[in-house]
Amino acid sequence: MARRADGGIRLRPVGTHKRRQTAPTYSPAGTGCPAFEQAVENLYKGQNEEAFWTLMGALNYALEMETHVLVPLQTALTVHNMPAPWTEHPVPAEKAKGLQLWTLRNDKGRTWLPLFTSGAAACGDRSTAARPMADYTLQDAMELALSTPGIDGVVLDPWSHSATLDGALLNGLLHAGHTPEEPGDAEADAGKEAARKGCWEQAVECFEKAAELGSAMGLSRLADCIYKGRGTRPGRTQARRMWKEAAESGEVLSMIALGDDCAARGETGRALIWYRKAREAAARMPDIEYTPQVCLRMAQTETRYTSRKKALALAAEARQGFALLAREQEPDAAQWLAEAEQLIRELTAEPPAQPAAYDMDSLQLD
């Protein structure tokens, strides 16, 4: 509704005002933490040990991604029965130091610190909808709970599908060191460290040893070096064969690489199939090493054609992961980050995309 120059009222039909699509941030006010939220939902559906360990994997991923959460505070600023801006504009962690935490107490006398992964989750109950919230990284919030006397653990998103983590689980998630679990993992890790330093010949030697010991990760990394000619003679046919062998073992990076190779040769449909396979494999155990790549490729090749909002959320998650990997000098992370930022610019500027030229639901590998 708007005023005319002559003082009358002009009615504007609903939906005629165009709004510029903006990119969400990887935060409680933006994307939340999709991997964690999906893992909790699956835990409630499955109620089994496998679903529990999937949740632990999602929480590890959330920690790797420096995910932020909202922590409720007990202050005189609370305005009851009124929506508060704290979920969108939370109190910075440094200003929240010393303020009393708002906690929950169960019928067994144990006290839990609620953590919220999104603003919507925080507004799920009147007791927190208007309560001031502090912005903490998930790691800092967990450590806060461990270091605060009288708090037995945390409960994430208590008003919906929730996950309760006692002190033992928090300690395990925060302080368990990475130890190679499979043959060749140590050699593959050594190769990755050499690659970060730009010592590609040394990296190739390590990846070769890892592959000989049966490491699919080492085989996939070795194939990448051969495909790009890093530290060894290039050989794309050989690299494709090695990637397919690693992909059969469920190695996600090899699936992404095969998709990229198909895309480079103009085989768009086959590329999408490999990206979908990578998405399915990554969903079981998300990891900053490959999940941001999966998010970006799915946003680029499929989601942008079905939901710009979902594509932007995937791109925001990808951008967060690549920024962290670039900070750690991970090879190619800066290039992936540039791709994610370019996609975000395209999605926030372009008109709605036309449907893809192929039926995405019926694609199959030979």
Side-chain angles (χ1 to χ4, degrees):
M1 186 172 67
R3 292 280 179 183
R4 294 202 308 256
D6 60 3
I9 295 176
R10 182 178 70 252
L11 296 177
R12 180 183 293 119
V14 175
T16 60
H17 180 64
K18 293 184 179 180
R19 294 184 179 180
R20 179 182 175 85
Q21 182 75 60
T22 57
T25 57
Y26 185 78
S27 71
T31 66
C33 184
F36 165 77
E37 291 157 6
Q38 184 62 52
V40 174
E41 184 177 343
N42 291 340
L43 178 65
Y44 273 74
K45 290 179 180 178
Q47 292 291 317
N48 54 40
E49 185 176 351
E50 180 182 355
F52 169 79
W53 288 112
T54 299
L55 173 61
M56 293 300 103
L59 284 168
N60 273 313
Y61 173 67
L63 290 168
E64 290 175 328
M65 291 283 284
E66 297 186 1
T67 301
H68 283 239
V69 293
L70 299 173
V71 180
L73 302 173
Q74 184 72 50
T75 75
L77 297 174
T78 305
V79 182
H80 296 288
N81 300 319
M82 292 290 290
W86 309 108
T87 56
E88 291 187 6
H89 305 285
V91 180
E94 58 272 15
K95 292 187 177 181
K97 290 180 179 178
L99 296 179
Q100 186 177 353
L101 301 171
W102 188 85
T103 58
L104 293 168
R105 192 173 180 86
N106 66 10
D107 54 7
K108 296 182 180 179
R110 305 194 76 190
T111 301
W112 306 92
L113 176 64
L115 308 180
F116 297 96
T117 61
S118 70
C123 293
D125 187 89
R126 286 189 303 172
S127 59
T128 51
R131 187 165 298 282
M133 297 277 172
D135 182 301
Y136 282 88
T137 65
L138 179 59
Q139 177 169 339
D140 287 345
M142 288 180 171
E143 290 179 344
L144 176 66
L146 282 173
S147 62
T148 303
I151 292 182
D152 298 297
V154 304
V155 54
L156 287 100
D157 296 337
W159 313 134
S160 58
H161 285 158
S162 61
T164 303
L165 312 172
D166 62 17
L169 277 175
L170 292 180
N171 270 307
L173 285 164
L174 292 173
H175 304 130
H178 169 69
T179 55
E181 298 178 354
E182 300 293 337
D185 281 0
E187 290 76 9
D189 287 344
K192 288 188 284 185
E193 183 60 31
R196 292 188 193 101
K197 297 176 181 178
C199 302
W200 288 106
E201 291 184 3
Q202 181 184 348
V204 168
E205 290 179 5
C206 293
F207 293 145
E208 285 176 340
K209 292 178 182 177
E212 290 171 1
L213 292 170
S215 168
M217 180 202 307
L219 183 63
S220 179
R221 293 278 185 166
L222 177 60
D224 188 71
C225 291
I226 294 172
Y227 190 87
K228 297 173 181 175
R230 287 173 166 172
T232 186
R233 179 181 297 179
R236 295 197 167 187
T237 300
Q238 181 186 5
R240 293 183 191 109
R241 184 171 62 251
M242 296 166 72
W243 275 328
K244 287 179 180 178
E245 182 180 342
E248 289 174 359
S249 300
E251 212 287 320
V252 179
L253 284 174
S254 62
M255 300 175 191
I256 299 169
L258 287 165
D260 288 350
D261 178 62
C262 288
R265 291 184 287 164
E267 299 176 358
T268 311
R270 291 178 65 85
L272 177 58
I273 293 170
W274 281 116
Y275 297 147
R276 284 179 170 177
K277 289 171 70 70
R279 177 187 60 186
E280 183 179 351
R284 293 191 290 268
M285 189 58 65
D287 192 289
I288 195 172
E289 185 174 39
Y290 48 72
T291 299
Q293 294 187 22
V294 173
C295 289
L296 178 59
R297 288 298 185 248
M298 290 306 303
Q300 289 172 321
T301 60
E302 181 172 36
T303 316
R304 70 185 301 170
Y305 301 109
T306 57
S307 170
R308 190 185 299 199
K309 181 179 180 180
K310 290 181 180 178
L312 280 167
L314 288 172
E317 183 174 349
R319 178 174 58 184
Q320 171 78 359
F322 296 139
L324 295 174
L325 291 172
R327 189 180 70 190
E328 298 300 321
Q329 303 298 312
E330 190 70 25
D332 302 324
Q335 178 182 336
W336 284 95
L337 177 59
E339 280 195 52
E341 291 176 338
Q342 175 61 28
L343 176 62
I344 289 171
R345 286 192 293 270
E346 292 173 3
L347 290 170
T348 53
E350 68 181 12
Q354 295 299 317
Y358 45 81
D359 182 355
M360 292 182 288
D361 292 326
S362 63
L363 295 173
Q364 296 181 356
L365 285 173
D366 295 336

